[in-house]
């Protein structure tokens, strides 16, 4: 489903983020990371995507990369605090 959406809307950051989340939920973290990075190329201010990307890095034990993105989130939230605890 998201493959067609990506074909039709390749520059829509919501579509790329949601496709990344679909891969994340399947456990395909590398593809999710690629899509989240593309999302942030399109919209570098999208904090939800930064958190999603950090979660991928936490799940692949790449804590330095997770912390890099967590440090760039502009709004404090329960999710940010939780991910920070996992990235330590």
């Amino acid at each position: 489903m998201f493959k067609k959406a990506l074909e039709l809307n390749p520059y829509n950051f919501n579509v790329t983020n949601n496709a990344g989340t679909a891969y994340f939920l399947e456990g395909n973290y590398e593809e999710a990371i690629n899509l989240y990075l593309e999302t942030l190329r399109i919209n570098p201010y999208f904090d939800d995507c930064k958190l999603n990307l950090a979660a991928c890095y936490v799940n692949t034990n790449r804590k330095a990369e997770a912390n890099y993105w967590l440090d760039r989130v502009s709004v404090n939230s329960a999710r940010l605090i939780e991910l920070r605890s996992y990235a330590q």
Side-chain angles (χ1 to χ4, degrees):
M1 176 165 69
F2 281 109
K3 289 180 182 181
K4 185 66 171 175
L6 284 169
E7 286 176 25
L8 296 173
N9 302 289
Y11 304 110
N12 182 314
F13 69 92
N14 287 307
V15 171
T16 56
N17 182 67
N18 291 342
T21 299
Y23 282 109
F24 178 91
L25 293 172
E26 290 177 352
N28 187 344
Y29 300 119
E30 292 307 314
E31 191 60 37
I33 287 168
N34 290 335
L35 285 163
Y36 291 145
L37 290 171
E38 176 63 15
T39 300
L40 290 169
R41 189 190 65 72
I42 296 166
N43 182 354
Y45 305 105
F46 190 28
D47 280 346
D48 284 343
C49 185
K50 293 173 191 174
L51 293 168
N52 294 340
L53 182 55
C56 281
Y57 286 133
V58 165
N59 281 318
T60 56
N61 203 31
R62 293 152 68 180
K63 294 179 179 181
E65 290 161 296
N67 281 302
Y68 173 87
W69 288 103
L70 293 173
D71 288 344
R72 280 147 184 80
V73 174
S74 62
V75 177
N76 197 16
S77 67
R79 187 168 178 222
L80 174 62
I81 293 165
E82 180 181 22
L83 282 169
R84 279 200 188 281
S85 72
Y86 294 135
Q88 299 306 311

